[in-house]
């Protein structure tokens, strides 16, 4: 039927095809390339996102899908490699193996960030931003600067309830306030150019959102605490005092770092690492109970505090000191208040040591009740 030469050609061709089929089926040959492709996909998924940080728990809802969750909450969540990274992080077999009530782990540093709201909770005296006078209730944004005059006092409140109180004669810039959609607290960074701030920060999860106050000399970073920071442009120093929790203080040149615990403070000189933390001064002794004053202006004495070279006084209308109306540095143990309206007031007093660290607070209540003179009746014509 076929000539001998043609039969030889056909046998050679069939042998070649058969060998190719066997080769394609053998491990380690071109047929095994999809497995290598899966490895490459996993590597691509990991490289598309940073190493996972602290996890935020997410409870799967009805009609949720891994693709939908990724698109709603993750940076680049519309990409297949990012979606794959999320279900691999949760050790799921595939994107469809979830059910309502299931708890997923989503790394907080993989989430989309949105601008966090910053509200001016309280404004007293002279305070400006972008050349405009500030008013309580207004919102400010990242990049905005805030400057207070000699009688100015501003309290900034973040969405999670954390507050930052800017003292008189201070200048600060909001560097960034970003919040992940499922995170409980925003990541906030402020630059204190000069003056002083007092912060009360809501607790943050380890590895999660940070609250950072930077000065030209040092950086104070926390995840939930009460602390104060001062930037002294004349002395080229920065101080940090911790009233609750722990604050990590670094100098801007990365020469050193110290953990400052509750009841301690540190000072950083320009070009030097932070000093060894020292204990804060005890609270001064003031009167107990409610002090009644029948004259205006008010003048009161308190007991001198050992180790104090001066004192800081704050006066507010509210017991939580969210609306400070007067602040002063005292060089004696006498309090002299400006003329005030009748009513209740709250005083806070602390000693300042020889390197500028401010100590523990003493608080006291004061009620001003000055009898107003009756108006002189007009003479009849």
């Amino acid at each position: 039927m076929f000539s001998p030469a043609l039969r030889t050609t056909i046998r050679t061709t069939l042998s070649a095809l058969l060998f190719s089929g066997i080769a394609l089926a053998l491990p380690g040959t071109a047929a095994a390339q999809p497995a290598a492709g899966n490895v490459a996909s996993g590597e691509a998924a990991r490289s598309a996102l940073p190493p996972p940080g602290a996890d935020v728990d997410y409870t799967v809802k009805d009609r949720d899908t891994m693709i939908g969750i990724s698109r709603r909450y993750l940076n680049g969540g519309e990409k297949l490699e990012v979606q794959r990274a999320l279900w691999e992080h949760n050790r799921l077999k595939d994107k469809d193996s979830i059910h309502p009530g299931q708890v997923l782990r989503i790394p907080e540093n993989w989430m989309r960030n949105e601008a966090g709201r910053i509200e001016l909770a309280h404004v007293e005296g002279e305070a400006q931003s972008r050349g405009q006078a500030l008013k309580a209730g207004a919102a400010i944004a990242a990049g905005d600067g805030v400057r207070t005059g000699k009688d100015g006092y501003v309290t900034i409140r973040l969405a999670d309830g954390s507050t930052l109180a800017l003292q008189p004669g201070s200048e600060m810039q909001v560097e960034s306030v970003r919040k992940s959609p499922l995170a409980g607290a925003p990541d906030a960074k402020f630059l204190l150019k000069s003056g002083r701030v007092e912060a009360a920060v809501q607790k943050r999860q380890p590895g999660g959102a940070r609250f950072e106050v930077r000065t030209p000399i040092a950086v104070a970073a926390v995840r939930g605490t009460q602390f104060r920071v001062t930037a002294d442009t004349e002395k080229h120093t920065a101080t940090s005092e911790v009233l609750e929790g722990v604050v990590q203080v670094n100098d801007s040149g990365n020469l050193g770092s110290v953990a400052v615990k509750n009841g301690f403070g540190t000072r950083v000189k320009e070009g030097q690492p932070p000093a060894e933390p020292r204990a804060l001064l005890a609270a001064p002794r003031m009167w107990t109970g409610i002090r009644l004053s029948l004259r205006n202006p008010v003048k009161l004495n308190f007991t001198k505090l050992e180790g104090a070279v001066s004192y800081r006084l704050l006066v507010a209308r509210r017991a939580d000191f969210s609306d400070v109306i007067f602040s002063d540095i005292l060089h004696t143990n006498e309090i002299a208040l400006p003329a005030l309206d009748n009513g209740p007031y709250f005083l806070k007093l602390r000693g300042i040591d020889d390197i500028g660290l401010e100590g523990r607070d003493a608080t006291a209540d004061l009620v001003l009740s000055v009898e107003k003179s009756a108006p002189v009746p007009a003479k009849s014509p």
Side-chain angles (χ1 to χ4, degrees):
M1 182 175 177
F2 298 109
S3 66
L6 182 57
R7 284 197 296 270
T8 300
T9 302
I10 291 173
R11 280 197 300 269
T12 303
T13 302
L14 289 174
S15 297
L17 290 173
L18 179 61
F19 176 80
S20 298
I22 294 172
L24 288 171
L26 288 174
T29 63
Q33 291 306 308
N38 289 338
V39 173
S41 296
E43 291 176 351
R46 288 188 289 272
S47 64
L49 294 164
D55 285 325
V56 175
D57 288 342
Y58 176 79
T59 302
V60 176
K61 301 177 179 61
D62 189 31
R63 298 184 180 181
D64 264 345
T65 65
M66 290 299 291
I67 292 176
I69 293 169
S70 298
R71 288 177 173 174
R72 283 200 305 275
Y73 300 121
L74 298 190
N75 283 317
E78 67 283 351
K79 299 177 181 178
L80 178 60
E81 60 266 28
V82 173
Q83 298 164 12
R84 183 185 298 278
L86 182 60
W87 69 67
E88 286 182 353
H89 181 70
N90 284 272
R91 300 180 180 179
L92 303 178
K93 293 181 179 179
D94 56 59
K95 65 182 184 300
D96 298 318
S97 58
I98 60 172
H99 54 81
Q102 182 178 353
V103 177
L104 299 177
R105 298 175 298 110
I106 305 179
E108 189 171 11
N109 61 336
W110 288 7
M111 292 185 192
R112 298 180 188 274
N113 281 325
E114 55 194 27
R117 177 176 172 79
I118 316 168
E119 182 184 53
L120 297 175
H122 173 69
V123 178
E124 188 74 29
E126 181 186 355
Q128 294 184 345
S129 178
R130 298 183 183 272
Q132 302 294 320
L134 294 176
K135 295 182 179 179
I140 57 176
D144 287 348
V146 179
R147 185 194 298 266
T148 56
K150 292 182 178 180
D151 64 342
Y153 194 95
V154 173
T155 300
I156 294 171
R157 181 182 291 122
L158 306 186
D160 69 330
S162 296
T163 59
L164 196 69
L166 192 63
Q167 309 294 302
S170 301
E171 183 178 2
M172 184 183 72
Q173 183 177 13
V174 180
E175 291 195 318
S176 67
V177 178
R178 308 290 296 173
K179 184 179 181 300
S180 298
L182 292 178
D187 192 281
K189 296 180 181 179
F190 302 90
L191 171 60
L192 179 65
K193 297 180 178 180
S194 62
R196 185 172 179 83
V197 295
E198 300 187 8
V201 185
Q202 297 295 323
K203 188 175 182 180
R204 284 152 160 71
Q205 295 298 322
R210 289 163 60 91
F211 190 104
E212 184 175 288
V213 177
R214 187 165 61 86
T215 75
I217 307 296
V219 179
V222 302
R223 297 194 187 280
T225 189
Q226 293 186 29
F227 69 107
R228 316 179 191 124
V229 175
T230 298
D232 192 323
T233 55
E234 293 183 359
K235 296 180 180 178
H236 302 283
T237 60
T239 59
S240 297
E241 303 130 18
V242 180
L243 305 178
E244 180 182 293
V246 179
V247 173
Q248 196 69 34
V249 178
N250 306 272
D251 65 280
S252 56
N254 293 321
L255 298 175
S257 176
V258 295
V260 185
K261 297 185 290 187
N262 173 22
F264 286 77
T266 186
R267 181 177 67 171
V268 183
K269 291 185 177 181
E270 186 174 18
Q272 297 182 17
E276 186 70 21
R278 67 156 66 172
L280 302 179
L281 294 176
R285 291 179 58 189
M286 300 176 71
W287 59 89
T288 57
I290 299 175
R291 184 75 173 262
L292 178 65
S293 180
L294 302 177
R295 65 176 186 173
N296 203 353
V298 177
K299 290 189 177 182
L300 303 165
N301 292 324
F302 60 90
T303 304
K304 288 184 178 181
L305 178 64
E306 184 178 356
V309 297
S310 58
Y311 304 87
R312 182 179 294 275
L313 172 71
L314 301 173
V315 181
R317 297 189 187 93
R318 296 167 58 99
D320 62 359
F321 287 84
S322 61
D323 63 344
V324 172
I325 61 171
F326 178 72
S327 176
D328 196 14
I329 298 294
L330 312 178
H331 297 284
T332 69
N333 62 323
E334 182 181 74
I335 295 173
L337 301 182
L340 300 171
D341 294 333
N342 281 349
Y345 294 92
F346 302 90
L347 280 65
K348 183 182 289 186
L349 184 72
R350 67 180 73 118
I352 305 175
D353 69 14
D354 59 321
I355 65 170
L357 294 178
E358 302 192 5
R360 296 284 193 177
D361 291 325
T363 58
D365 296 359
L366 172 71
V367 172
L368 182 62
S369 180
V370 179
E371 185 177 348
K372 297 180 179 179
S373 57
V376 178
K379 294 182 180 180
S380 55

